[in-house]
Amino acid sequence: MDQTLPELEETITACRRCPRLVLWREQVAREKRRAYRDQEYWGKPVPGFGDPLARLLIVGLAPGAHGSNRTGRMFTGDASGDFLYPALYRAGFASQPQASHRADSLTLHDCFISAVGRCAPPNNKPTRDEIANCLPYLKQEMNLLSNLQGIVTLGSVAFNETLTLLGVKSTSYTFGHGLFYEPGSGLPWLLASYHPSRQNTQTGRLTTDMFDSIWKTVQEKLQ
Ligand code: SF4
């Protein structure tokens, strides 16, 4: 029988399927970054976060070592989240622009955030096997989001892995910021975005206007 979202959250949080990632996430949590040495790191897989009635799913890559791996919530406590949540707030999907820790009162409306990998990987690079191990969790979340209409993928890995998960094989689906696809056959639509990583936002590859245009498109496409 399918799990409920809270049950799935418990399963994900207890997962130890990828030995390399278990070692890494726990080592980072023990050693900590100097700025956070007084904090207790989460150090476990990070489950999806948001509105169970969401029409929109956002898919990222994997937790940051000192972001989600520290706070235990998607995109919380790092530079990517500092760019993502203000944009979601401006678009009406988040109750506040700040996301600093799990008890900061942030809620999402009509939006659920997840990722292709749930454990912080060394150098932000999960292996193909590690992603394959983890993708079933994202699939389960998709199945449990009964109102799901569309998916925004952040970065090319999230885009390609989401296509795999949906069983879409066409080579005409290429990654590019703002590219929109409708696979049909009852599948959710897809909108590709550059990832809001510091590397992209500080170099100007992804600007605030470019990111806001993603959420404007989402608002237009949601029915
Ligand atoms: S990456 Fe996913 S499958 Fe691997 S240990 Fe973490 S939660 Fe489990």
Side-chain angles (χ1 to χ4, degrees), residues 12 15-18 21-22 25 45 118-119 133-134 137:
I12 292 171
C15 184
R16 302 180 70 81
R17 202 177 292 164
C18 308
L21 298 186
V22 172
R25 76 190 190 205
R118 310 312 175 95
C119 292
N133 284 345
C134 215
Y137 293 138

Side-chain angles (χ1 to χ4, degrees), residues 15 22 35 38 67 78 109 113 118 143-144 149 159 169 172-173 205 215 217 221-222:
C15 184
V22 172
D38 296 334
D78 62 15
H109 170 67
I113 304 181
R118 310 312 175 95
N143 291 341
L144 288 165
Q149 291 184 11
F159 177 77
K169 293 195 172 61
S172 59
Y173 288 73
R205 184 165 194 251
W215 311 109
T217 302
K221 300 293 181 186
L222 286 177

Side-chain angles (χ1 to χ4, degrees), residues 116-127:
V116 295
R118 310 312 175 95
C119 292
N123 302 315
N124 290 323
K125 286 197 176 111
T127 65

Side-chain angles (χ1 to χ4, degrees), residues 129-150:
D129 284 351
E130 288 162 351
I131 291 176
N133 284 345
C134 215
L135 276 181
Y137 293 138
L138 180 59
K139 181 70 177 168
Q140 278 181 268
E141 285 170 340
M142 280 184 196
N143 291 341
L144 288 165
L145 294 173
S146 53
N147 295 330
L148 182 63
Q149 291 184 11

